[in-house]
């Protein structure tokens, strides 16, 4: 099947080598083509070499001339991270309230100030909104609606339900919407996106070709493409994301000192702490505010910590009591043994005859020896 891991690896390798690759279908190995597929295959065999060259040229021209014009609203750490990959195959611009001219020009991205929002949006095909969730509604509601008609709007928040409702509320009805969550970032994927999950939903898409072209940026980077509704995404990943970031923020540098020899478990904790320390507190607060289970998990974390402290205290008290009891028992046994030995000693002295207690007569021992020597 095309979805098998080996088939996916082969397709990824083919896409790296070929300028254009599209899978039209798949069939079992050592089987025979029949029907329209067989007829199409026979027609392809009759194509001359010249026709093939012409088809190849046209395909290359179509691919090279279809660059997307992508604009990123919010050029923070994650916006910059996305731009570095997007700019390799597309025309990318950005807008941010903070002056990002130096960072943008360094990677070939055009920077706009916030007062140039209309000019920034004018020629774009795709608008990526990369801002904290706590600012999302304010940013979207302030966008000029007249400049968003017919454009593809993409959000990249760690949770999708809240951004989706905001986009549906404020955007014009002819604007396409994709809710996505690239489940990686600058710290977790410095160079390759191979195998990293990209979760998305085509919440409202009229221009499917443009949407597929945008998504192909991530599939060509060998991301693991997972299509889920915003609600399914949040129910399956939002809690795990919040707990991960909560754990990482609890583990600061003082709790995780560097060691010459590191176990896999310790290395995993270091990775979590490094990943979460690179993210802003606004991102974490957004996870807390828009996750209905966040307070429950915080209370559960407190309860687990208190329970662990009680278990440690109980174990420590048990070991101390046991050690004291063993020490007292040892002293008692020693005293009993001493008393028993004294009683045995007294008892043996009372029952021994007086003759046995008198010292032996040395003259009696010497006389046989002298008599034996005289006989010799």
């Amino acid at each position: 099947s095309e979805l098998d891991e080996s088939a996916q690896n082969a397709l990824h390798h083919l896409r790296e080598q070929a300028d254009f690759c599209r899978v039209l279908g798949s069939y079992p190995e050592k089987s025979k083509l029949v029907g329209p597929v067989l007829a199409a295959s026979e027609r392809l065999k009759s194509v001359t070499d010249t026709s093939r060259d012409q088809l190849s040229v046209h395909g290359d021209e179509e691919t090279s001339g279809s660059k997307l014009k992508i604009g990123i609203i919010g050029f923070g750490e994650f916006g910059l991270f996305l731009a570095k990959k997007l700019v390799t195959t597309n025309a990318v611009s950005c807008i941010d309230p903070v002056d990002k001219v130096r960072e943008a020009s360094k990677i070939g991205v055009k920077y706009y100030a916030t007062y140039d929002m209309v000019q920034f949006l004018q020629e774009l095909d795709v608008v990526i909104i990369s801002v904290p969730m706590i600012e999302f509604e304010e940013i979207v509601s302030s966008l000029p609606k007249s400049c968003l008609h017919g454009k593809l709007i993409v959000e990249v928040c760690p949770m999708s339900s809240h951004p989706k409702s905001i986009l549906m509320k404020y955007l014009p009805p002819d604007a396409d919407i994709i809710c996505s969550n690239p489940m990686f970032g600058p710290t977790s994927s410095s160079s390759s996106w191979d195998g990293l999950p990209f979760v998305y939903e085509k919440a409202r898409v009229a221009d499917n070709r443009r949407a597929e072209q945008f998504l192909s940026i991530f599939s060509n980077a060998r991301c693991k493409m997972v299509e889920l509704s915003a609600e399914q995404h949040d129910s399956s990943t939002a809690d795990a994301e919040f707990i991960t970031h909560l754990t990482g923020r609890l583990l600061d540098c003082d709790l995780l000192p560097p060691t010459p020899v590191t176990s896999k478990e310790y290395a995993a904790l270091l990775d979590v702490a490094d990943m979460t320390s690179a993210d802003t507190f606004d991102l974490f607060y957004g996870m807390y505010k828009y996750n209905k289970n966040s307070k429950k998990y915080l209370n559960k974390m407190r309860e687990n910590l208190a329970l662990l402290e009680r278990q440690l205290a109980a174990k420590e008290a048990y070991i101390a009591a046991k050690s004291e009891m063993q020490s007292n028992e040892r002293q008692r046994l020693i005293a009993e043994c001493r008393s028993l030995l004294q009683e045995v000693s007294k008892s043996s002295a009372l029952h021994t005859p007086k003759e046995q207690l008198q010292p032996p007569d040395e003259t009696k021992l010497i006389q046989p020896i002298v008599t034996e020597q005289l006989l010799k």
Side-chain angles (χ1 to χ4, degrees):
S1 170
E2 182 187 343
L3 299 178
D4 291 342
E5 184 178 358
S6 57
Q8 287 292 317
N9 291 335
L11 289 173
H12 286 318
H13 180 70
L14 180 60
R15 291 189 183 103
E16 289 179 351
Q17 306 297 325
D19 296 330
F20 180 80
C21 175
R22 176 174 296 172
V23 178
L24 302 178
S26 60
Y27 53 90
E29 188 179 1
K30 297 181 180 179
S31 60
K32 294 182 179 180
L33 299 177
V34 296
V37 178
L38 176 61
S41 176
E42 294 298 331
R43 286 197 299 271
L44 284 175
K45 291 180 181 179
S46 63
V47 175
T48 62
D49 292 339
T50 305
S51 301
R52 289 176 183 170
D53 293 340
Q54 291 176 352
L55 288 172
S56 177
V57 170
H58 291 318
D60 292 342
E61 290 175 354
E62 183 181 355
T63 304
S64 61
S66 60
K67 285 187 176 182
L68 290 172
K69 296 178 181 178
I70 302 175
I72 302 175
I73 299 177
F75 206 61
E77 288 291 331
F78 194 75
L80 175 61
F81 168 72
L82 287 177
K84 289 179 180 178
K85 176 68 74 172
L86 299 175
V87 77
T88 58
T89 54
N90 302 277
V92 181
S93 57
C94 70
I95 190 167
D96 196 276
V98 181
D99 187 356
K100 300 283 186 176
V101 174
R102 181 178 300 176
E103 293 87 342
S105 59
K106 189 181 295 185
I107 61 173
V109 173
K110 188 175 181 180
Y111 169 78
Y112 288 85
T114 50
Y115 57 79
D116 282 337
M117 181 65 76
V118 174
Q119 185 179 356
F120 166 74
L121 294 172
Q122 214 163 23
E123 301 295 331
L124 295 179
D125 300 312
V126 181
V127 180
I128 299 177
I129 305 177
S130 176
V131 298
M133 278 193 292
I134 58 175
E135 303 174 8
F136 193 84
E137 184 170 7
E138 179 185 354
I139 296 295
V140 173
S141 61
S142 65
L143 295 176
K145 307 301 181 290
S146 59
C147 300
L148 299 176
H149 290 288
K151 299 189 185 300
L152 172 60
I153 313 299
V154 181
E155 63 86 11
V156 290
C157 295
M159 296 175 62
S160 298
S161 296
H162 173 70
K164 178 182 177 180
S165 64
I166 297 301
L167 294 176
M168 290 292 190
K169 178 180 178 181
Y170 289 102
L171 294 185
D174 61 343
D176 291 353
I177 298 173
I178 289 181
C179 298
S180 69
N181 178 16
M183 299 182 71
F184 48 88
T187 55
S188 58
S189 58
S190 56
S191 57
S192 174
W193 293 1
D194 188 4
L196 299 176
F198 181 87
V199 185
Y200 69 96
E201 178 195 6
K202 296 178 184 177
R204 187 175 68 199
V205 172
D207 190 345
N208 193 63
R209 180 176 181 181
R210 178 181 58 189
E212 289 295 333
Q213 186 176 352
F214 173 75
L215 294 173
S216 69
I217 298 172
F218 299 90
S219 61
N220 291 340
R222 303 187 68 174
C223 290
K224 182 181 179 181
M225 307 298 288
V226 181
E227 187 170 4
L228 287 175
S229 69
E231 294 73 22
Q232 289 176 324
H233 166 267
D234 288 357
S235 64
S236 59
T237 64
D239 293 346
E241 288 282 301
F242 175 73
I243 293 173
T244 300
H245 281 259
L246 175 62
T247 304
R249 290 187 173 276
L250 291 174
L251 299 172
D252 56 17
C253 297
D254 294 335
L255 292 175
L256 297 172
T259 58
V261 180
T262 303
S263 65
K264 290 183 179 180
E265 295 80 5
Y266 192 76
L269 288 177
L270 288 173
D271 291 341
V272 171
D274 290 342
M275 177 193 69
T276 53
S277 64
D279 294 326
T280 63
F281 185 78
D282 286 346
L283 181 138
F284 177 65
Y285 180 74
M287 293 181 180
Y288 167 78
K289 183 176 181 179
Y290 297 108
N291 186 346
K292 61 182 181 181
N293 296 323
S294 58
K295 292 183 180 180
K296 181 183 73 174
Y297 286 119
L298 278 174
N299 292 332
K300 184 64 176 176
M301 189 76 77
R302 293 192 194 97
E303 292 173 3
N304 288 346
L305 182 59
L307 175 62
L308 189 60
E309 288 178 340
R310 291 196 299 270
Q311 289 176 335
L312 290 173
K315 187 68 173 179
E316 187 175 14
Y318 168 75
I319 292 175
K322 182 179 179 181
S323 177
E324 184 177 356
M325 289 179 64
Q326 288 177 344
S327 178
N328 293 337
E329 183 70 15
R330 188 180 299 109
Q331 295 296 330
R332 187 180 66 80
L333 289 174
I334 292 174
E336 288 183 359
C337 289
R338 186 182 294 114
S339 176
L340 288 172
L341 288 173
Q342 290 175 353
E343 290 181 2
V344 170
S345 175
K346 291 178 181 179
S347 175
S348 60
L350 291 174
H351 292 84
T352 304
K354 291 183 178 180
E355 303 83 38
Q356 296 180 6
L357 294 176
Q358 291 179 355
D361 189 359
E362 294 182 358
T363 57
K364 293 181 179 180
L365 295 175
I366 296 171
Q367 185 176 0
I369 298 174
V370 173
T371 305
E372 184 178 358
Q373 289 179 350
L374 291 173
L375 291 174
K376 290 181 180 180

